[in-house]
């Protein structure tokens, strides 16, 4: 979204989109989050629970990590490292560096780095922001922010499912443009499901979606940029 065809990030466009997203999030917190959440919540059905399990952070991490490890193993087995002479003892640091160089622009690596980066950023933001989950609004009419907090109950913003899924799916869409329509549609459905399922406020999803897209672009730009 913020990458040119020559793999250059459009920083001004990203900054402008960030300002607009922040303005929407602030408006949502003060005005439209509650009514929009109530409206979308009425659309809850069993299918949204499937999204909760299939696209959790753990599933994304496991799937992308396994694919990345398999790739690294194949590169290692097919390289000189695996068959080097014992007298030519290569250091572990050099071996890791060489494997990283050979895999850093692969599809598996880009998806894994994107998912991992999003996972780290979302955990930090959730802790620092400390927003109350919508479940407290439904049960006790309680909303607010209580930072910093590691408690699930106060880790609503941004949506982890949305942010990590957008990071992974947007990256997949960039790597396989023919399927971009599918990856974007799926990412939007995942975000919508978090509201309908009652796990997040609309602005949690909006912020998570923007950050996920931005992280995917930054990871691709960083890994593919010319040194």
């Amino acid at each position: 979204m913020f990458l040119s065809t020559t793999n250059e990030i459009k920083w001004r466009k990203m900054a402008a989109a960030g300002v607009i997203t922040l303005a929407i999030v602030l408006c949502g917190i003060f005005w439209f989050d509650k009514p929009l959440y109530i409206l979308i919540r009425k659309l809850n059905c069993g299918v949204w629970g499937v999204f909760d399990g299939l696209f959790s952070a753990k599933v994304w991490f496991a799937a992308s990590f396994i694919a990345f490890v398999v790739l690294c193993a194949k590169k290692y087995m097919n390289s000189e490292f695996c068959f080097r002479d014992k007298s030519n003892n290569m250091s572990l640091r050099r071996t890791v560096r060489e494997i990283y160089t050979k895999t850093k622009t692969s599809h598996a690596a880009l998806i894994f780095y994107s998912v991992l980066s999003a996972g780290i950023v979302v955990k930090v933001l959730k802790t620092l922001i400390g927003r109350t989950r919508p479940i407290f609004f439904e049960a006790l009419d309680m909303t607010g922010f209580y930072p910093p907090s590691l408690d699930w109950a106060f880790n609503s913003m941004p949506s982890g499912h949305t942010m990590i899924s957008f990071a992974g799916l947007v990256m997949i869409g960039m790597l396989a443009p023919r399927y971009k329509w599918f990856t974007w549609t799926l990412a939007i459905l995942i975000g919508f499901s978090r509201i309908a399922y009652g796990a997040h406020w609309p602005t949690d999803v909006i912020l998570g979606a923007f950050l996920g897209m931005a992280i995917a672009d930054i990871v691709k730009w960083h890994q593919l940029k010319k040194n």
Side-chain angles (χ1 to χ4, degrees):
M1 184 174 181
F2 304 111
L3 274 180
S4 67
T5 54
T6 57
N7 197 52
E8 293 296 329
I9 289 188
K10 302 173 184 176
W11 292 107
R12 290 185 179 179
K13 183 178 180 181
M14 182 181 287
V19 171
I20 293 172
T21 300
L22 182 59
I24 293 173
V25 168
L26 290 175
C27 288
I29 290 172
F30 289 106
W31 291 299
F32 68 76
D33 249 348
K34 290 181 182 179
L36 186 57
Y37 171 79
I38 293 172
L39 177 64
I40 297 177
R41 189 76 171 99
K42 293 178 181 178
L43 301 176
N44 185 34
C45 59
V47 68
W48 302 126
V50 176
F51 282 87
D52 180 66
L54 284 179
F55 300 101
S56 66
K58 291 180 180 179
V59 172
W60 271 110
F61 290 150
S64 60
F65 179 69
I66 290 172
F68 178 63
V69 169
V70 169
L71 172 69
C72 290
K74 288 178 65 176
K75 291 291 184 181
Y76 178 81
M77 295 300 293
N78 294 330
S79 70
E80 63 182 19
F81 311 133
C82 188
F83 304 103
R84 67 179 181 270
D85 189 273
K86 291 183 179 179
S87 61
N88 183 22
N89 190 20
M90 185 177 292
S91 68
L92 177 62
R93 180 180 297 180
R94 183 182 171 191
T95 302
V96 171
R97 185 172 64 250
E98 292 292 338
I99 292 177
Y100 169 76
T101 301
K102 289 179 177 293
T103 61
K104 71 174 187 176
T105 60
S106 66
H107 290 187
L110 290 172
I111 295 169
F112 173 65
Y113 294 148
S114 187
V115 168
L116 179 62
S117 300
I120 294 173
V121 173
V122 77
K123 185 62 178 179
V124 172
L125 290 179
K126 281 176 175 288
T127 301
L128 294 178
I129 295 174
R131 191 181 195 185
T132 328
R133 296 271 181 178
I135 189 174
F136 288 94
F137 169 66
E138 293 184 357
L140 304 171
D141 196 27
M142 172 185 171
T143 61
F145 296 82
Y146 300 88
S149 177
L150 293 172
D151 194 327
W152 173 88
F154 304 102
N155 281 177
S156 189
M157 178 180 276
S159 166
H161 278 67
T162 304
M163 187 166 165
I164 294 171
S165 294
F166 262 84
L169 289 168
V170 168
M171 180 62 79
I172 293 172
M174 288 190 289
L175 299 174
R178 289 180 58 186
Y179 302 101
K180 185 180 291 187
W181 65 271
F182 175 75
T183 59
W184 274 88
T185 301
L186 181 57
I188 292 170
L189 285 175
I190 292 169
F192 185 86
S193 74
R194 304 310 292 155
I195 306 170
Y197 194 61
H200 287 284
W201 298 99
T203 49
D204 299 341
V205 170
I206 292 171
L207 182 60
F210 169 75
L211 292 175
M213 288 186 287
I215 286 174
D217 285 343
I218 291 172
V219 167
K220 189 171 185 287
W221 163 76
H222 180 268
Q223 295 302 108
L224 271 63
K225 69 179 180 180
K226 296 180 180 179
N227 297 323

